[in-house]
Amino acid sequence: VHELEDAVGDCLNGDLTDNDGGPHAWDEGWAFWAGSLEGEAGTSSGQLGYTLAQKRCPQFGTCTGESNVEGTAVANAKLLSLFNTGKSLLQSGDCAETADVVLDIVPQMTLPLLQGAIRYFYLADPTSPDYGGAKAEGELWAFALAILPQVAQCDATAGAMLRDNAIGPLATGGYMQDGYRKVKEAVEGTYDCLGLTCADVGGYFESGSTATYVAGMEPCDNNNRAQGFDTIANYLPVSDVVEHSQIDLDHLTIETCADAEDFDCAVDAYTAGGNSQKTAGTRTIQGFSTDVVDGNPKLQGEPLFDMYAAYYEDDFYADTFTLGACEGTGDFAGIDTPARIELCIKNAAYLNTWMYVVHELEDAVGDCLNGDLTDNDGGPHAWDEGWAFWAGSLEGEAGTSSGQLGYTLAQKRCPQFGTCTGESNVEGTAVA
């Protein structure tokens, strides 16, 4: 970047013969971007920014060739064009226009650094199944240092989140303490300011894949992001329900703990949560079935809930069955551990959260009947919440069949029952 600024300075000073003749500083910029090991044609075998862009493009689908995973990185192709444009402008003495080209070059130089950071948001997150340990944490720290000032300049809050999750001594709660999804989302909010688009950055593919993105690492959507609302399993909400969707992370914790026969841990995830925040505290799965209004169950008066409560003769049946299974009490006392594990996990998902999806839809209709679609923070927010609690955050933007809630259950069952939309009714999205 210095060499480009130097070249513009030479131009403005009327001395393009400075730096040993011609727009030498400009040429130096490309030399320091690509290096000698890239040879004449660019062999992707160097040590500098050019090579980093080549490494990242097949991982993020941002190459110029087949399926966007082969050939030259789009960033390098754009940079080459911009450098050639700048060279011609300098030779013509068009200094101001060359300065504008520099402004276009910096985002493309930043892009592979940003992709590197995003890659290691995931690999340095201890909750990731592909957690890479100290090496990944070191890579994360390095890439974060390279982009942090720009991110913080664009958005101080996003910069603070990046700093506190990725910069060793400042990550007092551990690397990626807020989780890779939240950190990625925060940084995505700075793309426009950085001079980049969601398409420029792409999404991070699963290891060995050139088509399937890691859950939560899909490309963002510029239209969505401009509104501040993220697509969830192909559903485009009109309100912000990201935090709501992250209730599935509590379900994931319940499953992880129960599978390890650590039922105290499972109960804590069920009763205390920790992953889904709301205006007044933390949203919990238990709260879906135990919250009361004026001393009565919150869901009382909703037909489906009333049916279930009457059948089980218990207004808090979902909590009774979930806690009983996880704690091994009541009807679940003395049952075999494998059965208790399944009941603990599935009662939480298919009694508590499943019914709360229906509640949100009833709530949205109630808002409409009351003439108040601005209730629940604007628009049909309760309706969006219903989808968030049906699909969850782990399904990502496109629906990856890797979640914990009803959407994922439907995806699991459709090939077993021949109720999918795709070939032979056993592939693709569940009809449900």
Side-chain angles (χ1 to χ4, degrees):
V1 179
H2 159 71
E3 294 293 356
L4 307 185
E5 296 283 1
D6 190 25
V8 172
D10 291 341
C11 183
L12 291 171
N13 292 330
D15 189 4
L16 283 179
T17 62
D18 200 11
N19 281 307
D20 302 328
H24 184 61
W26 193 263
D27 292 342
E28 288 178 320
W30 184 260
F32 294 141
W33 175 253
S36 65
L37 294 171
E38 286 294 338
E40 292 187 2
T43 59
S44 305
S45 56
Q47 292 287 314
L48 303 175
Y50 185 99
T51 307
L52 178 64
Q54 290 302 118
K55 287 176 64 176
R56 293 292 170 252
C57 84
Q59 297 167 343
F60 283 79
T62 54
C63 305
T64 57
E66 186 175 354
S67 301
N68 299 323
V69 294
E70 297 183 8
T72 303
V74 172
N76 280 333
K78 289 182 177 179
L79 284 168
L80 181 59
S81 176
L82 288 166
F83 267 85
N84 282 330
T85 297
K87 178 176 61 178
S88 297
L89 289 170
L90 285 170
Q91 289 172 326
S92 301
D94 295 321
C95 309
E97 291 186 41
T98 307
D100 290 338
V101 173
V102 175
L103 296 178
D104 292 332
I105 285 175
V106 171
Q108 299 305 317
M109 290 177 59
T110 302
L111 176 56
L113 300 173
L114 176 61
Q115 290 175 323
I118 292 171
R119 167 178 160 88
Y120 288 101
F121 290 166
Y122 175 68
L123 295 177
D125 186 336
T127 68
S128 163
D130 298 316
Y131 173 57
K135 181 182 184 299
E137 291 167 354
E139 298 247 24
L140 171 64
W141 190 350
F143 285 117
L145 285 172
I147 64 171
L148 180 55
Q150 291 191 66
V151 171
Q153 178 67 28
C154 289
D155 184 330
T157 300
M161 177 168 281
L162 176 60
R163 178 196 66 210
D164 294 345
N165 280 269
I167 305 299
L170 301 177
T172 54
Y175 284 97
M176 300 311 296
Q177 58 191 296
D178 290 314
Y180 66 87
R181 293 174 182 82
K182 287 187 178 180
V183 181
K184 174 177 176 283
E185 180 186 351
V187 173
E188 284 173 346
T190 68
Y191 285 2
D192 290 342
C193 174
L194 293 174
L196 296 168
T197 67
C198 293
D200 289 333
V201 179
Y204 182 54
F205 290 126
E206 291 181 354
S207 178
S209 174
T210 58
T212 303
Y213 296 108
V214 170
M217 299 293 278
E218 300 86 357
C220 62
D221 181 278
N222 276 94
N223 292 328
N224 250 14
R225 191 164 46 74
Q227 300 175 55
F229 311 134
D230 290 345
T231 299
I232 302 172
N234 295 303
Y235 175 80
L236 177 59
V238 295
S239 60
D240 185 0
V241 289
V242 170
E243 285 288 346
H244 303 76
S245 72
Q246 289 169 344
I247 196 70
D248 63 351
L249 302 180
D250 290 339
H251 282 284
L252 178 60
T253 302
I254 292 173
E255 180 180 75
T256 302
C257 295
D259 283 343
E261 300 182 22
D262 186 350
F263 291 103
D264 289 340
C265 170
V267 168
D268 183 66
Y270 171 67
T271 59
N275 289 291
S276 181
Q277 303 302 313
K278 56 184 181 178
T279 304
T282 301
R283 183 177 291 104
T284 69
I285 301 166
Q286 183 185 45
F288 287 162
S289 59
T290 60
D291 283 351
V292 296
V293 177
D294 297 329
N296 297 312
K298 182 177 180 179
L299 277 61
Q300 192 174 76
E302 297 174 6
L304 194 63
F305 170 79
D306 287 348
M307 177 201 300
Y308 274 66
Y311 184 88
Y312 290 120
E313 298 181 345
D314 182 357
D315 287 339
F316 303 104
Y317 70 91
D319 184 56
T320 299
F321 293 149
T322 303
L323 271 185
C326 293
E327 293 178 339
T329 58
D331 293 342
F332 306 94
I335 65 173
D336 290 341
T337 297
R340 183 180 165 196
I341 290 171
E342 294 302 320
L343 285 158
C344 176
I345 296 168
K346 290 177 169 58
N347 285 356
Y350 308 136
L351 295 180
N352 288 269
T353 304
W354 187 94
M355 183 61 74
Y356 209 75
V357 173
V358 181
H359 159 70
E360 293 293 0
L361 306 184
E362 296 281 4
D363 190 25
V365 172
D367 291 340
C368 184
L369 291 171
N370 293 330
D372 190 4
L373 281 179
T374 62
D375 201 12
N376 283 308
D377 302 329
H381 183 57
W383 194 265
D384 291 341
E385 288 176 321
W387 184 262
F389 295 140
W390 174 251
S393 66
L394 294 168
E395 285 295 338
E397 293 188 0
T400 59
S401 304
S402 56
Q404 291 285 315
L405 302 176
Y407 184 100
T408 307
L409 178 64
Q411 290 301 116
K412 288 175 63 177
R413 294 294 171 255
C414 85
Q416 298 167 342
F417 285 78
T419 54
C420 304
T421 57
E423 185 174 354
S424 301
N425 299 324
V426 295
E427 296 182 8
T429 305
V431 171

